[in-house]
Amino acid sequence: MGGRLARMLAADGAELLVTDIDPGKQALAAELGATWIEPDQALVTEADVLVPAGIGSILTAEAIAALPVTAVVGPANNPLADRSGAEELAARGIVYAPDFVVNAGGFIHLGLMADGVDPSQIEARVRGIGTTLTAVFATARDTGATPLAAAEAIAQARIAAATAAAPGKGPSAVGDSDSDVPHLG
């Protein structure tokens, strides 16, 4: 996950700081023209966005208190050590994009492929994650909730709508290609 994202960001001209517990990933950093930092520096190095790809529960209360970033985009493995981390990030003014929203593309892609949905439709649904994330941030702002709580509320509402729209089918109805049910993407 992290390597693919780093390649895409580098292609778009982002200045990257890269680390991994596998020192062999230094070759990727060099390939991308990125600056390699040691893993123990990842949470204390100033950056615009922290992308803790691959390591869950890394954002403890202590780490959040010292985090020198403006946003955290956790693409997988729930980077929050505790649910209260979402409130701690918000209190510090650090934007948090919940992993289950950011990483929904894989789920959407695989689920719709299995249903035989046209690749262009799958791509459109995956690109819709940006719209969903915008809705998460707007809901958080408008309600005073954290982005995590807003994302969970949106997801619960979508599951309830899907269940109501497809009786007997249950929550798996979310994302069905032939329904008008709201979806993550």
Side-chain angles (χ1 to χ4, degrees), residues 73-85:
V73 180
N77 304 319
N78 189 10
L80 300 176
D82 188 271
R83 179 172 187 76
S84 64

Side-chain angles (χ1 to χ4, degrees), residues 51-142:
V51 181
I55 299 179
S57 300
I58 194 167
L59 296 177
T60 62
E62 296 79 25
I64 292 169
L67 205 57
V69 300
T70 57
V72 173
V73 180
N77 304 319
N78 189 10
L80 300 176
D82 188 271
R83 179 172 187 76
S84 64
E87 289 88 14
E88 294 163 7
L89 288 167
R92 294 221 32 238
I94 298 172
V95 175
Y96 176 61
D99 64 318
F100 66 91
V101 176
V102 175
N103 196 27
F107 176 76
I108 292 167
H109 182 82
L110 292 175
L112 295 179
M113 274 185 50
D115 288 345
V117 175
D118 180 80
S120 64
Q121 291 176 313
I122 294 172
E123 183 177 342
R125 294 279 293 271
V126 170
R127 290 190 179 280
I129 293 170
T131 302
T132 299
L133 199 53
T134 298
V136 165
F137 293 142
T139 299
R141 180 194 64 234
D142 295 347

Side-chain angles (χ1 to χ4, degrees), residues 112 115 117 125 161-162 165-166 169 172-183:
L112 295 179
D115 288 345
V117 175
R125 294 279 293 271
K169 206 166 180 190
S172 64
V174 174
D176 280 1
S177 59
D178 60 348
S179 72
D180 292 326
V181 175
H183 47 81

